[in-house]
């Protein structure tokens, strides 16, 4: 199975592809779109576009654009937009984050769990800056270490993460300031991991014996083991509403 297919299946029973509750997603979107609900919203790495379709359904004057490298996810996003009656107000594009260009700026930008596509937090914010209209805001979701990670956790996530204070300092050093934020709770973090591994396992157990079933079970088992023995006690996730200083 391809990694993108595994990810699509693993995220099917969770509100978004991030450790956030349904209520947190609602509150963060409302804060991001305060005073911007009649503007343009961009999602950098939208997947099946749960953030976008939700925002469009709640705000009839809003328009949205999303892009992703997974064409199957984009097809699902379009079907969802059609079902909710918002398809005319959304544009979905199959392209790499680093290749995206915009004819006009956006009033709000989503980059939740996607800074890796740009090479890290700093490069992501540098790329977002020119896409943002004056008075605009960014919803940024980023991983961090709540405490010193175990060697396995560092091996899994590399050396790009710091603690929460370091993450906020990196945002500030890049020329941005948080105006709101949400630190994912232990319940949100655990719910996300149980949903990820559980959805994939459930899908596999509904399949007849064969390579796809075994690949999905193996991916779920590996992920669950890495979470429980590697990073559960040290991993954190913060979602910030940011505005540029200049």
């Amino acid at each position: 199975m391809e990694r993108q297919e595994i990810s699509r299946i693993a995220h099917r029973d969770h509100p978004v592809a991030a450790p956030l509750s349904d209520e947190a997603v609602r509150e963060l979107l409302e804060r991001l779109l305060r005073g911007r609900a009649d503007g343009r919203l961009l999602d950098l790495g939208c997947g099946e576009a749960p953030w976008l379709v939700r925002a469009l359904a709640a705000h009839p004057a809003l328009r949205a654009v999303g892009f992703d490298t997974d064409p199957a996810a984009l097809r699902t996003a379009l079907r969802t937009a059609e079902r909710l009656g918002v398809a005319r107000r959304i544009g979905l594009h199959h392209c790499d984050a680093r290749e995206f260009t915009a004819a006009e700026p956006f009033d709000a930008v989503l980059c939740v769990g996607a800074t890796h596509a740009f090479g890290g937090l700093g490069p992501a914010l540098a790329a977002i800056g020119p896409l943002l209209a004056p008075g605009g805001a960014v919803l940024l979701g980023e991983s961090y270490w709540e405490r010193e990670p175990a060697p396995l956790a560092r091996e899994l996530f590399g050396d790009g993460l710091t603690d929460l204070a370091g993450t906020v300092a990196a945002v500030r050093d890049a020329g941005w300031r948080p105006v709101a934020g949400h630190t994912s709770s232990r319940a949100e973090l655990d719910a996300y991991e149980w949903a990820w591994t559980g959805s994939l396992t459930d899908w596999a157990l509904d399949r007849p014996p064969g390579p796809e079933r075994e690949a999905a079970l193996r991916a779920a088992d590996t992920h669950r083991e890495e979470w429980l023995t590697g990073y559960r006690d040290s991993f954190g996730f913060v979602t910030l509403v940011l505005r540029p200083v200049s």
Side-chain angles (χ1 to χ4, degrees), residues 54-98:
R54 183 167 180 158
L56 289 169
H59 301 285
L62 186 69
R63 293 163 292 152
V65 172
F67 65 84
D68 201 272
T69 58
D70 184 355
L74 293 173
R75 288 193 292 271
T76 298
L78 181 57
R79 289 194 296 270
T80 303
E82 290 172 343
R83 176 171 55 82
L84 295 176
V86 300
R88 291 186 178 181
R89 293 187 283 127
I90 190 171
L92 298 168
H93 305 279
H94 180 221
C95 70
D96 185 273
R98 291 163 294 187

Side-chain angles (χ1 to χ4, degrees), residues 169-184:
V171 166
R172 181 198 62 215
D173 292 345
W176 302 73
R177 294 294 187 277
V179 296
H182 177 87
T183 305
S184 293

